[in-house]
Amino acid sequence: MKTPIPHIVAKDVVKTVQLTGSELTILQDIHLTINQGATVAIVGASGSGKSTLLGILAGLDLASSGEVYLAGQPLHKLSEDERAELRARSVGFVFQSFLLLPSLTALENVTLPAELAGMPDARARGLELLAQVGLSHRADFFPNQMSGGEQQRVAIARAFITKPAVLFADEPSANLDSATGEKIEDLLFELNEQQGTTLVLVTHNHELAQRCQYRFQMHAGRLAADLTQTTEDKRHVG
Amino acid sequence: MWGKIAWRLFWRELSRGELWVIAFSLFLAVLTVVSLSGITESVRSALYQRSANFIAADKILRSSIGFNEQIQQKADELQLQSSRQVQFNSMLFAKDLMQLVSVKAVSRGYPLRGELKLSSSVADPSLVAALQPNQLYLESRLYSLLNIKVGDSLELGEKEFIAAGVIVAEPDAPLSVFGSSPRILMHLDDVAATGIIQPGSRITYRLMFAGSQQDLELLETQNKEQLGPQDRWQKMDRESAIGGALDRSERFLLLSGLLGIVLAACAAAVAANRYSQRHARSVAVMKALGATTTLSRKIYGSHLLFVVIFSVGFGLVAGQLLVQLSQWGVALWMPDYLAEFSVRPLGLGVLTAAICAVLFSARPLWRLAAVPALNVLREKPDQMKFDPVHLISGSVAIWLLMWLFSGDLWISSWLFVLCLVFAALLMGFAAVMVRVAKPMAAGQSSALRLALANLRRRLWPNAFQLITFSLALFLTLLLYFLRSELLDQWQQQVPEGAPNQFLVNLTEQDKTSLQQLAIQHNLELTEFYPMVNGRVLAVNGENFADEATKEKPEQRQGVGRELNLTWLNRIPDNNEVESGQWFSADSKAEVSVESQMAERLALKLGDKLQFSVGGQVFDATITSIRKVDWNSLQPNFYMVLSPDLMQGFPATYITAFYLNMSEQELLNQIVRQFPTVSLISVDTILKQVNDIISQVSVALTFILILVFASAVLVLVAQVQATLEQREQELAILRTLGAKSAFLKAALLYEFAALGALAGLFATILAEVLLAVVQQQFFDLPYQPHWNLWWLGPVLGVALVTVLGAWQVRQLLKMSGSTLLRRALQN
Ligand SMILES: Nc1ncnc2c1ncn2[C@@H]1O[C@H](COP(=O)(O)OP(=O)(O)OP(=O)(O)O)[C@@H](O)[C@H]1O
Ligand SMILES: [Mg+2]
């Protein structure tokens, strides 16, 4: 058995936002370690801070204090552009509302991250991934010509094209009916397994959470007990 | 690498119609600039050419002492064309008669502009002749006055001449309708031999130049030291009807050109804003996927660059095409119009596009690239907020454009400040109006209530919209009214049937027989103005020297020289008393002075003038200063005396009447019957003025169309932007079960309300600015524009509602779910 490599580490992360006159604490006291290749679900009530945490772990946002490491890089010390480059190389995203670029075709949407990262053979890989998500026949369709499920499959293909080390998904199946949602989830896990990607997903969906190796519960900005571990360090997973 | 993405996105946005409004706005801005500036330039050079014809040169240096040889030398260095002219009055002697004549002696090359027509026959003006030394060409009436015929010999000063023919047309004949002695033309080389020119004689020397405008300007600006106090540059005749019309048309074209540009620029700004709003989500996604801010900036910056290149390219071509096409249209009215190809309009077009792009459109795209990647995690990303920098850069751009286009820092700054004040006022106004809409909504239908609630809720975006709407409507209305007003005004000045024939030098007997003739032929004679020649000798007992001195050259001009004096009971129609009182029935020894002359001679009410008429000397007190409309083709007098003063003097009379061109025969009869009377026909002048009016009217109609197109574009851009802002809201209302007819009604009410408000603001603004422009720029009296007050609001409601309905139609056709999906995608 391999020794687990810590892949995402958060130490004492706090997030506050400045409101007119007062300061609102959205996240506090977050300690977290996720090892390479793990599948992790973050669950919690609406407004508990799941998306905020995801944003910070993925380097989309900065913590107000604390340290965050992603793929060995100290996110809290990187500039915005350095974080963008890190995302281009090592991070994939799947969003609740798909967020395909409306002016690009399915294939172009898929190849966009590869092009942004300057990878060769983007087109060939894009077609391959589209085939893998079962959408070869939709390669030249625009997002508004596709169903929600199809759009999300394109989004998944897009997320995997750079062979990211980590994939973040925020409610990937929330906007889909349950059958379609399930297919999407299957795809996610399938590709995750194939590529050995670390998968971090935020969900309300209990069944989806169950399919992950590890589950965290967010509660009012705090990370509650890891629902899967019984070891003494409950927040160290993988 | 990014280039590929940028290029692909660009084409996609283009084919999706995303960039069209911005491209079209820029295109329209460039088109407006290129075509307007090209056509204006062509019109201007034709008008300039034509006005040059009236002074027979492009520029004239007038002197009372002699030709300024230093200036002549400089002009030669600049390789300008030149010719010389001397004018003086003298007695012309025939065998047994003599006559005071006004002599013009010209050098070879005269005229540099316009056409001199001489004929060797009094009866047949088509027998073309050319001026030779030893010849005199005379105004035709001299032949009867002196009882001579062509070929007879004449004496002028000490030299003998041959009467070689008649002057048919002289480009620089004085436009003043009366008061000149009969004119004769001779060769400059003969002047010395006449011996007339002695020190102290009253003579005007003219150096006349023609050439490129730059060289001419150089000649004037670089040689200020070379001018003596007696030298004066003469521009085109400002006091003539034509000079006035030209002057005003030039300013007007300039001003209205500005309007179109500013509007198109606003459309570009609105469109760029909208583009940024629409793409905020896409940028966030790209950044989440690893694009840096710099990269996004490059991608969207290049979009702007592509759009600019694209629009500028098409704009330049289309603009130039319009200039060429104008040849057909304008030449109908203006046969000497020549569509010119010139680089300046093209350069202006490119510069305008650059200013619009950088200052109006770049800022939203700059901000677009700064959208945080985090937005991808927000369900509903914040709308881009109001951007003061964009407002400032846009304002600077407007000011720059005004400056660029008017070439006048003062006018542009003045207009700009005015616009700022108006915008601030509007903003406040809008806020108040939208707020008070609430109580109005109570008890209205629910669609109306929703509309008013919406208006109130989006107070600031609406206030901004209101400003754009108002601005667009305002500029259109302003131009429309100014246009018709100017044309009316000009037409009034030269009304149909205005007197076009003047009879000067009528004696008391002529007066009665002419009246009979008029009755016979159904002619309507104007008043008979009595006229005597006289001089002002002294002011308040202080004599005027005959010669101009160096210290007070200005003051002396026009005094001491012969003036046409008249006496009247009633003030002439086109005169207005500025200060003092017009004569009453028992006025004794009073005089009324024209205001410009009063200023020039530093005369004021109460001053005592000493006159000399026919050897008799008398005093008169100034009791009124009159403003005279020199643009009117009416007999105008600098000095009008109270009737009591002049009773005893033998006067001649002047009168005028309108004669149809087809009744030429009657004119000949009059000339035969009154051989000593001079007949002056201003028909050609009237026709020229009418020509200018028609040309300007065509040009203005064209500009109006462009401005209107820009205004509509602004409205479309703005309506589109607002509708997109509410896609989501509409989607929600639809899913909540609101019927599309209801939503449509609510939206239309909202647009109608906005349109009405905007129309009202535009009307107020237009009325204020019309008043200012009328008085400050065009010297027209202020009148309220009643039509404006219904046209403005009606136009506002109609335009905004129709455009709104047109856009809403597409939006509401979509099913609730499509709408929802689109809303979520953007
Ligand atoms: N920029 C911000 N300003 C103010 N409040 C914020 C901001 N960002 C997040 N919040 C607040 O922080 C809390 C957590 O937000 P977050 O989006 O992380 O919740 P979530 O767990 O993802 O909820 P959901 O399940 O509904 O997506 C919410 O109450 C939200 O209103
Ligand atoms: Mg969330």
Side-chain angles (χ1 to χ4, degrees), chain B residues 204-250:
Chain B
T204 314
Y205 297 84
R206 286 186 168 87
L207 277 179
M208 315 177 72
F209 303 107
S212 80
Q213 212 164 340
Q214 288 132 303
D215 289 345
L216 290 165
E217 260 159 43
L218 278 184
L219 184 68
E220 178 171 350
T221 50
Q222 293 191 340
N223 298 301
K224 295 215 163 101
E225 302 83 52
Q226 267 79 305
L227 295 187
Q230 70 287 344
D231 293 324
R232 204 161 301 278
W233 285 110
Q234 183 183 340
K235 306 247 169 61
M236 85 180 152
D237 194 350
R238 297 272 159 187
E239 291 194 346
S240 74
I242 294 157
L246 274 179
D247 212 30
R248 279 177 296 188
S249 56
E250 202 178 301

Side-chain angles (χ1 to χ4, degrees), chain A residues 51 55 60-61 80-81 84 87-88 93 95-96 99 101-104 108 115-116 144 146 151 158 170, chain B residues 1 4 8-9 12-13 16 281-282 285 287-290 292-295 373-374 376-377 379 821 825:
Chain A
S51 295
L60 293 173
D61 199 6
E80 201 199 313
D81 282 356
R87 286 198 300 272
F93 285 100
F95 307 104
Q96 173 176 356
L99 296 184
L101 296 200
S103 52
L104 297 182
E108 286 161 351
E115 283 167 349
L116 286 173
N144 61 0
M146 290 186 282
Q151 288 187 54
R158 177 177 70 181
D170 193 2
Chain B
M1 188 276 303
K4 205 170 109 194
R8 186 194 295 147
L9 277 173
R12 288 296 155 64
E13 306 302 2
R16 271 165 49 101
R281 207 69 195 257
S282 294
V285 171
K287 287 176 103 176
L289 297 179
T292 59
T293 302
T294 321
L295 186 68
L374 188 65
V376 290
L377 293 179
E379 269 312 288
R821 205 151 89 199
Q825 249 177 38

Side-chain angles (χ1 to χ4, degrees), chain B residues 5-122:
Chain B
I5 301 175
W7 185 245
R8 186 194 295 147
L9 277 173
F10 173 70
W11 276 109
R12 288 296 155 64
E13 306 302 2
L14 210 57
S15 55
R16 271 165 49 101
E18 291 278 305
L19 286 164
W20 282 110
V21 174
I22 193 167
F24 199 63
S25 313
L26 286 178
F27 165 78
L28 210 64
V30 175
L31 173 83
T32 310
V33 175
V34 173
S35 58
L36 268 193
S37 143
I39 293 173
T40 314
E41 206 142 283
S42 301
V43 168
R44 198 180 295 171
S45 83
L47 291 183
Y48 182 76
Q49 199 61 43
R50 205 180 273 196
S51 64
N53 291 347
F54 286 108
I55 58 172
D58 291 338
K59 216 179 187 82
I60 290 179
L61 184 69
R62 206 168 53 178
S63 165
S64 53
I65 296 182
F67 295 116
N68 187 327
E69 297 299 342
Q70 279 171 299
I71 296 287
Q72 176 73 59
Q73 198 185 332
K74 299 284 182 192
D76 291 343
E77 281 166 21
L78 287 165
Q79 297 189 313
L80 292 167
Q81 283 176 276
S82 61
S83 113
R84 297 174 168 213
Q85 196 181 93
V86 167
Q87 278 191 27
F88 52 89
N89 288 335
S90 179
M91 277 301 178
L92 178 67
F93 296 89
K95 237 187 330 263
D96 39 27
L97 292 168
M98 61 182 186
Q99 171 71 40
L100 182 71
V101 291
S102 156
V103 184
K104 183 159 84 179
V106 298
S107 71
R108 213 177 309 277
Y110 167 87
L112 298 175
R113 296 280 183 250
E115 203 184 349
L116 173 70
K117 283 190 197 149
L118 302 174
S119 162
S120 55
S121 154
V122 184

